[in-house]
DNA sequence: CAGGATCCATTTTGATACTG
DNA sequence: CAGTATCAAAATGGATCCTG
């Protein structure tokens, strides 16, 4: 086992920055988090993620689909049903998202103290 | 050793989403990545991060400072010198950022294939 | 149900100029 | 050097209406 916590000259180039931006933004994080649990329908996601508009949710799902993170499955019923599910590529992100949430949970108190201190100065 | 890859009912609440948004956005990721390596001056960061405007860099540094991720050290020379350095709280993010970069590096090829496929349909 | 199209308000960003 | 101030431009977000 080698140490992997040091950045072995990993650099944030434009393509990496762009990908992370498209996958870690406000809505994508929440959509991926939901879909890692189980597949969901469009309006189901809309109800569970407060409070995303249909426009933003559509845009987010399209971008995640384009990047290969989610799959759009159309069921030809009447009316139409569309299921969104995480892809194998998308699941590679799951541990990272969990790690981000754990980090946020573990450090939220410190962050709030820092904010209070900062706001008290001014 | 317990498994930690499953989300033990960790949920993205508004405060967590807000914090992650403020710390993982386009410019913050790059600033933190630089500062994890070594402290830097304002214009140094500006030169190394292509291509951030002075306005966006100022806003990013202020926000990171407010959240306790970076420290702003003013050296009273003439002209003034300001050094930004990562805080202990900020370093807790380092492994996560490294992990994000490694994920991006490892999966970029698959992502590009997915994009090509998506764009080819239309 | 799952969106597409449109219009408008609010944010965010960019470019420039200026300052202690 | 390390910013602040200002104005214009561009991206984003919300609200509403419409459709297969």
């Amino acid at each position: 086992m080698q140490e992997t916590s040091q950045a072995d000259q990993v650099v944030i180039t434009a393509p990496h920055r762009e990908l992370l931006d498209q996958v870690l933004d406000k809505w994508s994080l929440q959509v991926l988090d939901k879909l890692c649990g189980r597949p969901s329908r469009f309006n189901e996601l809309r109800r569970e993620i407060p409070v995303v508009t249909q426009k933003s949710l559509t845009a987010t799902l399209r971008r995640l689909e384009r990047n290969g993170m989610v799959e759009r499955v159309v069921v030809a019923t009447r009316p139409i049903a569309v299921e969104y599910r995480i892809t194998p590529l998308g699941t590679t992100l799951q541990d990272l998202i969990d790690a981000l949430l754990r980090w946020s949970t573990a450090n939220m108190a410190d962050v709030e103290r820092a904010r209070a201190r900062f706001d008290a100065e001014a």
Side-chain angles (χ1 to χ4, degrees), chain A:
Chain A
M1 281 291 206
Q2 297 293 325
E3 280 295 327
T4 51
S5 60
Q6 295 303 315
D8 342 79
Q9 74 257 17
V10 179
V11 178
I12 310 191
T13 60
H16 291 94
R17 189 187 55 57
E18 191 194 358
L19 173 56
L20 292 174
D21 278 351
Q22 298 200 359
V23 150
L24 298 180
D25 70 280
K26 172 172 174 173
W27 300 124
S28 294
L29 266 188
Q30 299 175 79
V31 168
L32 288 170
D33 186 51
K34 291 293 177 191
L35 294 185
C36 277
R38 58 181 171 76
S40 289
R41 304 273 296 273
F42 185 86
N43 282 330
E44 196 176 355
L45 287 170
R46 200 180 167 184
R47 264 178 272 113
E48 290 176 353
I49 302 178
V51 285
V52 66
T53 62
Q54 160 270 6
K55 189 179 179 179
S56 299
L57 183 56
T58 301
T60 299
L61 287 167
R62 287 287 176 282
R63 194 172 47 230
L64 290 176
E65 186 192 359
R66 176 169 187 270
N67 285 305
M69 301 294 139
V70 311
E71 190 187 1
R72 184 171 178 275
V73 184
V74 181
V75 184
T77 52
R78 276 175 318 282
I80 203 177
V82 178
E83 193 177 79
Y84 289 93
R85 47 176 66 243
I86 198 85
T87 62
L89 183 54
T91 60
T92 65
L93 252 176
Q94 183 163 15
D95 285 353
L96 260 55
I97 293 179
D98 287 351
L100 290 172
L101 286 176
R102 281 197 305 277
W103 176 84
S104 179
T105 303
N107 296 283
M108 183 61 81
D110 281 350
V111 169
E112 278 171 351
R113 266 189 292 279
R115 288 175 177 170
R117 233 179 300 121
F118 184 93
D119 295 346
E121 297 171 8

